[in-house]
Amino acid sequence: MGDPSARPAIDLGRLAPDLQSTCGDYCGSYRDRLAQAVRRGDGGGAVVKMHARILDGLLGALYCAADAAARAEGHEPKGRVALVAVGGYGRESVGLCSDVDVLFLCDDPSDRHVGALAEGLLYPLWDIGLDIGHAVRGVDETLELSREDLRTATTLLDMRRVAGDKNNLDELVGRARRGLLNEGLDLFLAQLADDVEERHGRFGGSLFLLEPEVKLGCGGLRDLDVAVWAAKAHWGAESTADLVRHGALLQREVEELETAEEMLWRVRNLLHLRAGRRQDRLTFEDQEEIATELGFVHGVTLAVEQFMQAYYRHARVVEQTTERMLARARQTVRTSPAQREDLGGGLMLFDGHVTLADTDGLESDPVLALRLYAEVAKRSAPPYPFARDAIARAAAEPAWTERLRASPEANQLFLDALSCAAKAPVKRSSILAELHEVGLMLGMVPEFEPVTGRVQHDVYHVYTVDVHSVAAVDRLRAIKRGDYASTQPMASRLAAELPRPAPLFLGLLLHDIGKAHGKDHSRKGAIMAKPIAERLGLSAVDVAHVVWLVEEHLSLYHWAMRRDTSDPEVIREVANQ
């Protein structure tokens, strides 16, 4: 039945002679409407929802025609049948050239009426080139498959009736809620988390790629789906208001997520419109065209660089929200007491994780956040997800970070974390990357905000300025730790013996901080670096060294990449400078 090259067993054309022409005209008309909506800048979410509703009208009408034709051929139904939208179509989020997935949910998949109905509906759509996938299953089979197949399990959270009997869909959803999404909830959420990790690895492992994948990459629309699935499965949330009511997200976080979703859909719709097919990779050429379509104009920085900075910031919101939502949903009630140890200073060790002794402690003592990460590095124990969430939420409040920066203890803890060589039990094994993830790095160095998510639009820069800077510090950390002792023995020995590591690490972190302020970024960055180093409590000598390193970092790059560093004259020149 699923072979588009075969012909249906029933003659649907006898009931509707101009059916293919009518379907073609209908699809052509709606494609023009959708394209016009994208070109005039209609909301990305509004366009994909309109697309789903247009498809509802087409498939609903075809279902009625195919049902009548099947009955006219003598194929009476043996039980309940429903046409169910699944996947993106079920979520009412269908991109311009996205495929469409449906399920014929029935009591008896071998029923000849169901086969004739499916053929009568699908063949006219295949004939006009609509990419529609389908399955024919009963309630029991769907539930059984969902226990083994994550994709089927997620469709249970997105299903929506388009036509036919409503009762068997209600039965399926009800049984799924009582079974898979109740007793099997922990397994489902674990599978979601594993799938996210595997998919991110497959698409590059970072949202800050030169040409990101808007649907399946880090911070893409599939991550957004995962956050929604976790919320539906754990809290039964059907709206953003539900998420706020259950405490899964703050209202501010909901608004940030909705803005990010709107940006991702607008970009994806423009990609599909430009390509005339399903195209989800945001290439260099696409970036330049879409930046103009979205209204970005050249200023101090190129329009395309402004656009990509906005894109990366929104994608980061999606990635972080997905990560937090999964962590919150997976917090389970313990059946046995956890081991606890008071660490002092408002912290404790709980079940092998570093956490807050008092949930309200962060508000009265912002330095607790950096103390927590100092213990994470010291004890090689991960931060407790709840505590990590609390820190990320606090770090988003300007008044809180201002109080944090005013603390000499916080300044010293930040410098210690910056130059800490130990691998930490956090993502990418980097304390600095973790501080950036939760907002503490920006809290301590707000001057980094303009270069967060900022990309250089050329083939030499792969990461955004902030991620490049953190990665550079991590490489220095690895050299100091001895990870490159066999390939870079002298650098490793010198790094390990650094008498004052703070100025070198801070200079490296700040070396590109001037890139948001136009040309001559090394000189402008050096001017910016001085008050930052002073605020962090460095001595006058160390402040001078930080400023010098930032101002001269391009000279160092020139020597390293364009000169023979084994030449004694080059070595003497570097030493003299």
Side-chain angles (χ1 to χ4, degrees):
M1 188 202 74
D3 181 6
S5 65
R7 298 312 305 165
I10 62 172
D11 184 9
L12 192 57
R14 187 161 58 82
L15 289 181
D18 298 322
L19 182 64
Q20 183 176 343
S21 174
T22 302
C23 288
D25 291 345
Y26 182 87
C27 288
S29 173
Y30 85 64
R31 283 175 183 143
D32 288 343
R33 286 174 55 196
L34 291 168
Q36 290 169 12
V38 172
R39 289 192 183 98
R40 67 173 174 258
D42 286 10
V47 170
V48 297
K49 190 162 190 172
M50 179 171 71
H51 192 180
R53 288 175 174 170
I54 290 169
L55 289 168
D56 285 350
L58 175 61
L59 270 64
L62 276 175
Y63 181 93
C64 293
D67 180 63
R71 292 173 189 269
E73 295 288 335
H75 303 307
E76 292 294 330
K78 295 180 181 178
R80 301 170 300 176
V81 186
L83 177 64
V84 179
V86 296
Y89 181 32
R91 293 187 296 275
E92 295 186 285
S93 299
V94 186
L96 247 62
C97 298
S98 295
D99 52 3
V100 179
D101 291 310
V102 296
L103 169 67
F104 291 90
L105 187 65
C106 54
D107 289 337
D108 181 5
S110 66
D111 184 353
R112 293 185 64 191
H113 175 85
V114 177
L117 177 64
E119 290 177 339
L121 184 142
L122 294 168
Y123 279 99
L125 298 176
W126 284 330
D127 285 343
I128 62 171
L130 187 65
D131 190 358
I132 183 165
H134 71 286
V136 180
R137 287 196 301 265
V139 171
D140 290 339
E141 184 186 357
T142 302
L143 289 171
E144 185 63 33
L145 185 60
S146 69
R147 295 184 181 95
E148 304 169 359
D149 178 55
L150 180 63
R151 186 169 183 270
T152 304
T154 58
T155 63
L156 296 174
L157 297 166
D158 296 327
M159 287 181 169
R160 182 172 63 81
R161 186 183 75 93
V162 177
D165 197 306
K166 176 178 180 290
N167 294 323
N168 56 348
L169 179 58
D170 290 342
E171 178 189 342
L172 174 59
V173 172
R175 288 175 59 184
R177 173 59 62 186
R178 292 190 300 272
L180 172 74
L181 302 178
N182 190 355
E183 293 91 345
L185 179 60
D186 289 345
L187 176 60
F188 173 70
L189 292 172
Q191 289 174 329
L192 271 185
D194 290 344
D195 184 69
V196 169
E197 184 176 354
E198 186 276 330
R199 176 169 46 80
H200 284 183
R202 190 157 29 99
F203 285 92
S206 172
L207 65 86
F208 299 103
L209 292 176
L210 204 65
E211 297 180 325
E213 226 278 355
V214 177
K215 180 184 177 183
L216 298 174
C218 295
L221 286 162
R222 177 62 78 237
D223 278 1
L224 193 62
D225 295 337
V226 170
V228 172
W229 290 331
K232 285 184 175 181
H234 183 76
W235 292 284
E238 295 295 337
S239 67
T240 52
D242 291 339
L243 295 176
V244 175
R245 186 172 64 254
H246 288 292
L249 291 176
L250 302 176
Q251 182 61 41
R252 168 182 55 78
E253 293 171 327
V254 166
E255 292 168 1
E256 290 173 350
L257 194 62
E258 289 175 341
T259 302
E261 180 182 18
E262 175 63 22
M263 163 66 91
L264 291 176
W265 271 121
R266 287 198 69 188
V267 170
R268 192 179 186 214
N269 285 337
L270 283 165
L271 282 172
H272 285 197
L273 184 63
R274 278 174 48 77
R277 57 182 173 81
R278 189 167 66 249
Q279 156 68 5
D280 296 325
R281 177 73 68 181
L282 188 51
T283 67
F284 261 145
E285 183 181 356
D286 293 320
Q287 291 169 21
E288 293 175 349
E289 295 281 345
I290 290 175
T292 302
E293 291 277 357
L294 294 178
F296 290 92
V297 296
H298 296 320
V300 175
T301 57
L302 296 174
V304 66
E305 293 177 356
Q306 297 172 45
F307 160 55
M308 289 308 296
Q309 181 173 30
Y311 173 86
Y312 286 129
R313 288 186 175 187
H314 289 307
R316 189 178 181 192
V317 166
V318 171
E319 183 192 36
Q320 291 181 340
T321 302
T322 300
E323 184 179 296
R324 293 170 190 168
M325 192 76 81
L326 278 171
R328 292 166 192 168
R330 295 181 71 184
Q331 290 176 11
T332 57
V333 177
R334 297 188 56 85
T335 57
S336 59
Q339 292 185 335
R340 301 166 183 258
E341 179 186 344
D342 186 2
L343 301 178
L347 300 172
M348 65 184 298
L349 201 63
F350 178 83
D351 197 25
H353 293 69
V354 182
T355 189
L356 306 170
D358 179 0
T359 54
D360 297 325
L362 276 177
E363 178 55 34
S364 58
D365 185 8
V367 186
L368 260 179
L370 287 168
R371 283 194 212 116
L372 182 144
Y373 280 108
E375 291 291 341
V376 165
K378 175 183 174 182
R379 297 176 182 275
S380 194
Y384 196 65
F386 174 82
R388 188 179 189 272
D389 271 357
I391 289 170
R393 284 178 167 177
E397 299 295 336
W400 186 88
T401 55
E402 187 175 351
R403 287 193 289 132
L404 179 68
R405 286 192 299 276
S407 165
E409 182 188 359
N411 292 331
Q412 187 57 54
L413 286 169
F414 178 72
L415 290 173
D416 291 345
L418 180 63
S419 55
C420 172
K423 288 184 177 181
V426 292
K427 195 157 64 172
R428 292 189 287 278
S429 301
S430 165
I431 280 289
L432 184 61
E434 173 73 2
L435 295 185
H436 191 26
E437 284 281 322
V438 298
L440 286 176
M441 192 181 88
L442 276 178
M444 293 301 296
V445 189
E447 294 88 347
F448 239 97
E449 201 278 334
V451 294
T452 297
R454 182 179 176 80
V455 66
Q456 296 292 305
H457 192 63
D458 57 47
V459 296
Y460 303 106
H461 293 82
V462 176
Y463 294 116
T464 56
V465 174
D466 56 325
V467 173
H468 160 77
S469 301
V470 170
V473 171
D474 285 341
R475 177 57 63 93
L476 175 59
R477 190 196 321 275
I479 292 171
K480 182 182 178 186
R481 193 167 52 233
D483 292 2
Y484 298 94
S486 61
T487 55
Q488 300 175 21
M490 179 172 288
S492 299
R493 180 173 64 80
L494 292 173
E497 296 173 355
L498 277 173
R500 299 184 342 273
L504 180 57
F505 276 89
L506 185 60
L508 186 56
L509 178 66
L510 302 179
H511 75 278
D512 274 347
I513 200 167
K515 279 197 170 178
H517 303 280
K519 296 180 179 179
D520 198 9
H521 77 274
S522 56
R523 183 183 63 82
K524 291 176 180 176
I527 294 171
M528 295 173 67
K530 186 172 187 294
I532 296 172
E534 290 173 341
R535 187 178 68 232
L536 289 172
L538 268 65
S539 67
V541 170
D542 285 351
V543 169
H545 284 169
V546 170
V547 171
W548 181 86
L549 285 167
V550 174
E551 189 160 18
E552 293 295 337
H553 79 271
L554 291 180
S555 300
L556 295 169
Y557 172 83
H558 175 81
W559 280 313
M561 303 303 294
R562 301 180 185 178
R563 303 287 296 279
D564 180 5
T565 53
S566 64
D567 183 343
E569 286 302 316
V570 173
I571 295 172
R572 187 175 294 107
E573 183 181 331
V574 175
N576 288 338
Q577 180 69 11

